[in-house]
Amino acid sequence: MTDFAPNLASTVTSLSFSVIDGNMVPLSRALMELGPSIQSLDIRFWEDNTQKFEIPLSFPNVHHLELRNFNDQVPVKELINRITANPSTNTLQSLHIPHVNHQYWQLVSDILSINNLGAKLTSIYLYFGQFHQSEALVTKIMDLCLDLVDLTYTFPFPKGQLNRLPPSIRFLRISIGQEEWGVTAIDLLQFLKANKCPKLTTLEVETRDSSQLENPELLSFFKEVGTLIISTRWVHIATSYMTLQFPASFI
């Protein structure tokens, strides 16, 4: 990547790269030129800033940002600040952070507050690599991200936050589990019956307790209102997934 990076055309709008061992200077120089044209940016394995990886002064057209495997030793906040610094040109609407280590929840929370980013986001994807819960992070999302259309949060969803989901939500992917972890199958059923998110078209539920998806009342309701798909995938341990496609109006 770094060998040809300086020759990347200024018309490149989508860029995905890994910050790994090697000379990052050519890539940094290329980014300096590409900053104004990039619309989708995916940075992986940004865990060590000894490479002196440089960040363009601005990204006026980035609408989607994906950060994989980063930590608090790299200038993630500076990157976000440069993308969102100018309110008149800030187009960032989609933030995806797969494989979030629970040690960096506060960092993710802080990112949402930079230049009022949370208020501009319509899509958030947070996939956690370890089984922990952070009600503070979900509370922050509910407080700031009032226009979300697409939310993925693959950790037990805090019970008290379910009814705070914005009515603009169309796609929702959350985890459910036992009472002590947060939202249960019954909580989810009550939430859906209350029609808190009238625009919801797709619901994906995952759980490491398959009995949650076997709740007869939940299954009966789901089969009445939409198309239901249940499957099991192997991600570290067996995880059961359920996808429900709703019609335009299901209640």
Side-chain angles (χ1 to χ4, degrees), residues 171 201-204 222 225-229 243-247:
F171 175 92
T201 58
T202 302
L203 171 67
E204 290 191 0
F222 279 1
V225 302
T227 303
L228 180 63
I229 303 171
T243 300
L244 181 64
Q245 298 283 346
F246 296 107

Side-chain angles (χ1 to χ4, degrees), residues 187-206:
D187 296 324
L188 183 61
L189 177 61
Q190 292 173 345
F191 164 75
L192 291 170
K193 285 185 173 181
N195 199 21
K196 296 287 186 177
C197 296
K199 296 182 179 180
L200 186 65
T201 58
T202 302
L203 171 67
E204 290 191 0
V205 182
E206 68 173 55

